[in-house]
Amino acid sequence: MSLRVIILAAGQGTRMNSNYPKVLHKLGGKPMVLHSVEIARAVSQDTPILVIGHGGGQVREVVEERAEYVLQAEQLGTGHAVAQVRPLLESTCEHIIVIYADMPLLQAETLADLYAAQRPNPGPITLLTLVTDSPRGFGRILRGANGSVQAIIEEAGASPDQLTIDEVNVGIYCFEADWLWEHLDLIPISPKGEYYLTDLVAMAAAEGQAANAIVAQNPDEFIGINTRVHLAEAEELLRKRVNKNLMLSGVTLVDPATTYIHSSVVVGQDTVIMPNTIMEGDTVIGADCLIGPNSFIVDSRIGDRCRIFTSVIEQASVEDDVDIGPYGHLRKGAHLESGVHMGNFGEVKNSRLRRGVKMGHFSYIGDGDIGENTNIGAGTITCNYDGKNKHKTITGKDVFIGSDTMLVAPVTLGDRARTGAGSVVTRDVPSGALVYGVPARLKPADRRSEEGKHSEEEG
Ligand code: UD1
Ligand code: CA
């Protein structure tokens, strides 16, 4: 028993009005074609075959090793597209599933059901149909007096009577492979000059082997994307699907209609997500968090019991019990350890804020390593860039940085060091010392004790 899946993706997608191949337009943050490739891989362990044509090079760059490729140099129809695969697959497998890459909401279970229905079928084809009151361009299913499927008629070629048929072809088929390879070249050319895969249905019926049809139950899986209007409809359906799964798994979405979470995101139990929150990419959110309103989180890790309020978090990691915002911005490489508090208008980039650091208001920490329980006063800035290079700012534990301090990197502050309000710190500050002023200098008493230390060292 073996099954291969062929995905047709050679068409141009003219009605998208785009410079990019239709199947590279994104749905749920992922190029449409990858949705099809994923479900194909879920139903068959063997690599799916992607038929490419228009923009084929670009499609390959995106799909990479996840598919094998067959080029359809000229787009002469869906039947012609499948015929291009014959040299590769003939005599290698028993069943072939064909799907179209512009139908990205299809679910793997539906393909599995299709395969399960074709395996015991003595005839050569099982196809999926849908009964719908909005057939929008789909081929109509013609059934005979006894109910058997006799043909698929494309909308363009359908008579007024046929157009009233409410059962349509969704474009998903499982074939007996040998029969398919024998019949592809016999498909007649259509008035439009194309070879329709759908004509195989009438050919089977003529041989007394009517196609077996499964009437699909969930119309949301069969949104064919031909325009950007369809793309937005599909996006909304996918969002609803993801949101529903999250809610059923124990996450509260206060307003699912304004919550935009990609299927790649993992969210822990009892986390509450407020409106206007967007979470994308490789993101994991812990349990018991409160996220949003108005937050954007991408490619980041958030621990348990965190509060992220109206903030932007990109490629950052946050441990447990951290609160951020409103208007916080974590950029690439920000790492906030447990219990960090980051209040309004803070920005952290490529820096570690160790346990219990408090950064209440208007601060920028770039390329820093800030020691445990340090207090970062309002308006503190690491001057990490000298116009050419980035430099590090390092502080010990329990440091107290006065409001409006400029830390001119590279600079190091020892444990329990303190800076006065408005200091411009250009030189390292010893443990326990206080500096103040512009440029910052040691408090006289601290200076004497430092000088003492040095003369001891020298002596
Ligand atoms: C097709 C079906 C129609 C069905 C509908 C469901 C045929 C003849 N018609 O119509 O019955 O209701 O899908 O969405 O199959 N493609 C190629 N090479 C080609 C032509 C198309 O690879 O030469 C690919 C396209 O990239 C696309 C898919 O096949 O992914 C379907 O082609 P499209 O032109 O969108 O067919 P429909 O008119 O939608
Ligand atoms: Ca289509």
Side-chain angles (χ1 to χ4, degrees):
M1 279 291 172
S2 68
L3 167 72
R4 299 297 295 264
V5 181
I6 299 174
I7 305 169
L8 303 191
Q12 183 171 16
T14 323
R15 284 184 287 160
M16 295 298 279
N17 284 317
S18 177
N19 282 324
Y20 306 100
K22 171 161 82 175
V23 297
L24 292 188
H25 284 261
K26 285 185 178 173
L27 187 76
K30 201 160 58 183
M32 221 187 285
V33 63
L34 288 183
H35 291 266
S36 301
V37 168
E38 262 171 34
I39 57 159
R41 293 175 67 107
V43 77
S44 162
Q45 283 86 332
D46 289 317
T47 310
I49 316 299
L50 197 59
V51 178
I52 52 173
H54 274 282
Q58 285 162 277
V59 174
R60 281 183 84 132
E61 268 174 36
V62 167
V63 179
E64 295 178 314
E65 318 293 57
R66 285 170 281 211
E68 280 181 55
Y69 300 90
V70 167
L71 180 69
Q72 184 194 22
E74 224 185 332
Q75 279 67 62
L76 297 177
T78 47
H80 178 261
V82 174
Q84 308 311 299
V85 186
R86 185 172 60 191
L88 185 69
L89 291 191
E90 192 166 26
S91 315
T92 67
C93 56
E94 278 178 75
H95 291 97
I96 299 282
I97 284 180
V98 177
I99 61 177
Y100 301 158
D102 65 354
M103 187 113 355
L105 294 185
L106 178 66
Q107 307 236 45
E109 303 80 70
T110 306
L111 280 193
D113 291 347
L114 178 75
Y115 182 41
Q118 176 55 28
R119 282 166 72 170
N121 180 26
I125 308 175
T126 298
L127 59 95
L128 273 174
T129 73
L130 182 69
V131 176
T132 173
D133 46 17
S134 63
R136 69 169 198 209
F138 283 17
R140 306 300 201 274
I141 303 292
L142 305 192
R143 289 189 184 254
N146 63 355
S148 67
V149 176
Q150 295 299 310
I152 297 171
I153 181 99
E154 289 307 301
E155 190 171 273
S159 68
D161 264 3
Q162 289 168 335
L163 286 175
T164 65
I165 294 171
D166 64 358
E167 186 179 17
V168 299
N169 170 37
V170 298
I172 296 159
Y173 326 82
C174 185
F175 295 97
E176 199 265 289
D178 291 339
W179 187 93
L180 175 68
W181 306 131
E182 281 161 24
H183 287 73
L184 281 168
D185 285 349
L186 308 175
I187 295 176
I189 192 161
S190 79
K192 281 179 79 182
E194 291 190 6
Y195 300 90
Y196 294 153
L197 187 65
T198 45
D199 283 349
L200 291 173
V201 171
M203 291 161 71
E207 292 173 7
Q209 307 199 79
N212 174 28
I214 309 180
V215 182
Q217 295 307 309
N218 178 10
D220 292 355
E221 286 183 53
F222 311 105
I223 305 290
I225 313 285
N226 296 317
T227 70
R228 294 185 204 231
V229 175
H230 301 154
L231 187 64
E233 283 170 20
E235 184 77 37
E236 187 181 345
L237 287 168
L238 181 61
R239 181 159 70 236
K240 284 185 174 153
R241 192 190 278 174
V242 170
N243 285 351
K244 185 174 171 192
N245 287 341
L246 279 174
M247 290 187 278
L248 291 175
S249 78
V251 178
T252 297
L253 305 187
V254 174
D255 181 20
T258 60
T259 304
Y260 308 82
I261 303 176
H262 286 168
S263 60
S264 52
V265 175
V266 178
V267 187
Q269 221 172 23
D270 292 315
T271 283
V272 175
I273 299 176
M274 305 284 282
N276 287 323
T277 292
I278 300 171
M279 304 204 285
E280 299 182 348
D282 178 17
T283 291
V284 180
I285 311 283
D288 281 308
C289 293
L290 180 56
I291 312 284
N294 310 315
S295 291
F296 177 75
I297 304 178
V298 60
D299 296 332
S300 294
R301 293 274 176 288
I302 308 286
D304 296 336
R305 297 174 303 279
C306 290
R307 171 83 178 98
I308 313 288
F309 177 24
T310 307
S311 291
V312 174
I313 298 186
E314 307 166 277
Q315 294 174 275
S317 82
V318 170
E319 296 182 9
D320 299 336
D321 303 295
V322 170
D323 75 296
I324 299 178
Y327 314 106
H329 187 186
L330 297 189
R331 292 167 52 206
K332 188 176 179 182
H335 181 144
L336 275 47
E337 292 188 358
S338 299
V340 166
H341 162 71
M342 179 173 158
N344 352 235
F345 302 103
E347 175 180 340
V348 177
K349 185 220 76 181
N350 189 33
S351 293
R352 194 170 184 106
L353 270 50
R354 294 183 185 263
R355 297 175 83 89
V357 166
K358 297 208 169 11
M359 169 170 151
H361 335 263
F362 312 105
S363 290
Y364 169 58
I365 302 295
D367 305 301
D369 185 344
I370 308 300
E372 275 178 33
N373 296 320
T374 289
N375 188 86
I376 302 173
T380 294
I381 286 175
T382 53
C383 309
N384 58 324
Y385 184 51
D386 60 13
K388 278 202 192 105
N389 297 305
K390 302 283 171 66
H391 300 285
K392 289 216 72 154
T393 299
I394 297 167
T395 90
K397 295 180 190 167
D398 302 309
V399 170
F400 184 92
I401 303 173
S403 293
D404 211 18
T405 294
M406 303 291 123
L407 298 163
V408 182
V411 69
T412 299
L413 285 69
D415 293 346
R416 298 175 315 284
R418 288 175 300 152
T419 73
S423 314
V424 175
V425 182
T426 55
R427 281 189 288 180
D428 292 353
V429 181
S431 296
L434 168 67
V435 296
Y436 56 85
V438 180
R441 54 201 182 280
L442 283 164
K443 192 180 94 178
D446 291 341
R447 189 156 55 220
R448 282 194 294 276
S449 79
E450 276 302 301
E451 279 162 5
K453 260 192 227 162
H454 283 293
S455 51
E456 274 163 35
E457 279 163 21
E458 282 154 21

